[in-house]
Amino acid sequence: VNGSTVYRNARVDGTLVDLTCSGGRIDSVTPSGPAPVGAPAGVDLEGRVVLPPFANGHAHLDKTFWTLPWRPHVPGGSIRDRIDRERTIRADGLLPDGSRALALARGMLEAGVGVIRSHVDVDTLVRLGGLEAVDSVRRELGGLVDLQIVAFPQSGILKDPGVADLMAEALSAGADVVGGLDPLSIDDDVDGHLDVVFDLAERFSAPVDIHLHDGGPEGMAEIAAIVDRTAALGLRGRVTVSHAYTLGTAPTDDVRRLAERLAEWDVAIMTDGPVGTTPPVRLLHDAGVTVMSGSDGIRDAWTPYGVPGMSPIAKQLAYQSKFYEDADLELVARIVTAHGARVLGVEGHGLAPGSRADFVVLDAGAVAEVVAEGILPSVVVRAGGIVQLGRPAGWIPVGKH
Ligand SMILES: [Zn+2]
């Protein structure tokens, strides 16, 4: 068994198994038992929970203040006010910054995140500066994280003439996904905004991920319009609506009807569990909608909150969903791992034979415990080896140095 590593007594879906890894893949998953005579000792995980890497399906690496001295949050009214404030900060030369983006992404990796979708602002002020900053993070972290970049029109598309062309430029220069933002409240033109977004999706064969904060019936109508576009262009499984706060406040019957259409066209919903507006995760999931999660902004002009790991987000999402039973907590664990990987189209994510030998070890005896407590991984494994950032490979748990 040359070149293989065995992780013994891993708790996967409640069962103790041995994970044998070689060549960066999981070769076999077998029930744990006494090691055969002459077998390599391997690493004894002592019954700790093992999950595939966490997926952060919605981050903003380009705009974080992470690693800077604490900056008191400046309160603001409308989303438009916040956009203008952030543009001022950018004009001061503080944003975007590749080294802070890298520090935050490394923090995510250390906290067990292996899959990241980062929106990057594209507007006539920052142009492709955010893309360049986050693209440098992607080159730096190479095989350690799957990093997708969304060309995100933070200042609107129609209200900031030139953005449509810049988004096309971004998609030519390395962005993977077409972003969008509140077609009604930001651009006052649902069809005009979606025309640009879905035209770019077609031209570049790119997935779509639209921020939708708009509430009430208007927000519901915007989601329906997004599904219509998805159906018209045959983009099943290629479109995500992020936040979708309106699903958290609309009448249940309306949500149920819309959920059927979301499921039919496999339009995913991203939520981080906001207070009062969290979409009904269980209802959506049971209707066949893929729900994923993400950190959203971490310590930036929009929020003083946030840490790099997904475990605290999982806890928050479960708490806001009023989840108490294991089955519900386990659903959230899948939302922050497998569901995000599925939406992002990550190959080999999982713990089955043939999957990439990427996983996290958590100091817990049950998956539900990980979510309820927001437990961060004690060990991060990539390609069969334990990751130590900035140190030579070895077997010392991440976080203990
Ligand atoms: Zn966002």
Side-chain angles (χ1 to χ4, degrees):
V1 225
N2 268 347
S4 70
T5 305
V6 189
Y7 292 85
R8 300 191 188 283
N9 298 306
R11 192 176 302 275
V12 176
D13 294 331
T15 307
L16 291 186
V17 297
D18 294 347
L19 300 164
T20 305
C21 310
S22 70
R25 296 272 158 177
I26 296 174
D27 284 337
S28 67
V29 182
T30 52
S32 292
V37 178
V43 181
D44 187 356
L45 299 181
E46 299 170 336
R48 291 183 175 85
V49 165
V50 169
L51 290 173
F54 289 104
N56 184 340
H58 189 117
H60 289 272
L61 294 174
D62 59 323
K63 59 178 64 187
T64 187
F65 301 148
W66 194 251
T67 70
L68 284 180
W70 181 257
R71 293 170 61 90
H73 180 69
V74 182
S78 68
I79 285 187
R80 178 51 77 181
D81 292 340
R82 290 178 175 280
I83 291 168
D84 292 341
R85 184 165 333 108
E86 187 172 52
R87 284 169 69 102
T88 310
I89 295 167
R90 284 216 227 100
D92 289 345
L94 194 62
L95 294 172
D97 180 279
S99 63
R100 285 202 303 276
L102 178 61
L104 181 56
R106 286 169 81 96
M108 290 179 183
L109 169 59
E110 195 158 26
V113 175
V115 179
I116 303 171
R117 175 179 277 182
S118 179
H119 297 252
V120 301
D121 289 6
V122 174
D123 66 18
T124 51
L125 204 63
V126 69
R127 303 178 68 86
L128 303 192
L131 171 66
E132 283 151 19
V134 177
D135 205 28
S136 72
V137 172
R138 178 155 63 182
R139 283 195 302 275
E140 185 75 27
L141 293 182
L144 292 172
V145 288
D146 288 282
L147 176 51
Q148 262 187 10
I149 298 176
V150 186
F152 173 49
Q154 175 71 83
S155 304
I157 298 176
L158 309 176
K159 285 288 168 67
D160 189 8
V163 165
D165 289 340
L166 285 166
M167 288 173 74
E169 248 182 79
L171 289 155
S172 298
D176 310 284
V177 181
V178 185
L181 171 64
D182 292 325
L184 181 65
S185 64
I186 294 295
D187 271 346
D188 288 326
D189 185 348
V190 175
D191 282 335
H193 188 99
L194 295 182
D195 279 348
V196 173
V197 168
F198 281 88
D199 175 58
L200 288 169
E202 246 195 325
R203 267 169 67 196
F204 291 90
S205 300
V208 169
D209 191 331
I210 299 175
H211 278 64
L212 195 71
H213 311 89
D214 287 344
E218 294 83 5
M220 294 293 277
E222 285 176 89
I223 295 177
I226 291 167
V227 178
D228 288 343
R229 302 276 182 150
T230 305
L233 295 178
L235 294 178
R236 180 185 272 110
R238 306 274 289 165
V239 176
T240 300
V241 179
S242 281
H243 302 307
Y245 295 152
T246 186
L247 295 175
T249 55
T252 303
D253 284 347
D254 294 351
V255 175
R256 221 181 285 280
R257 268 193 296 277
L258 191 48
E260 278 173 26
R261 300 212 58 222
L262 291 166
E264 183 185 358
W265 289 99
D266 197 7
V267 174
I269 298 295
M270 190 302 301
T271 179
D272 59 349
V275 177
T277 51
T278 297
V281 168
R282 174 51 78 181
L283 183 158
L284 292 169
H285 176 74
D286 288 349
V289 180
T290 300
V291 179
M292 71 163 176
S293 189
S295 61
D296 204 7
I298 292 173
R299 200 187 284 195
D300 55 25
W302 298 76
T303 176
Y305 289 103
V307 289
M310 283 304 293
S311 310
I313 302 288
K315 177 180 177 180
Q316 171 178 300
L317 178 55
Y319 185 76
Q320 293 303 336
S321 300
K322 301 184 173 66
F323 285 168
Y324 284 79
E325 293 174 48
D326 274 16
D328 289 332
L329 298 173
E330 287 161 5
L331 169 60
V332 173
R334 292 197 299 279
I335 284 171
V336 297
T337 56
H339 290 196
R342 177 179 182 275
V343 173
L344 271 68
V346 175
E347 181 274 332
H349 185 271
L351 297 173
S355 299
R356 283 149 60 168
D358 296 347
F359 50 86
V360 295
V361 182
L362 300 121
D363 205 357
V367 169
E369 185 183 359
V370 172
V371 174
E373 243 186 69
I375 295 172
L376 290 162
S378 49
V379 174
V380 176
V381 174
R382 286 287 181 278
I386 292 178
V387 173
Q388 290 183 81
L389 298 171
R391 293 171 61 107
W395 301 109
I396 304 163
V398 169
K400 297 276 166 65
H401 51 272

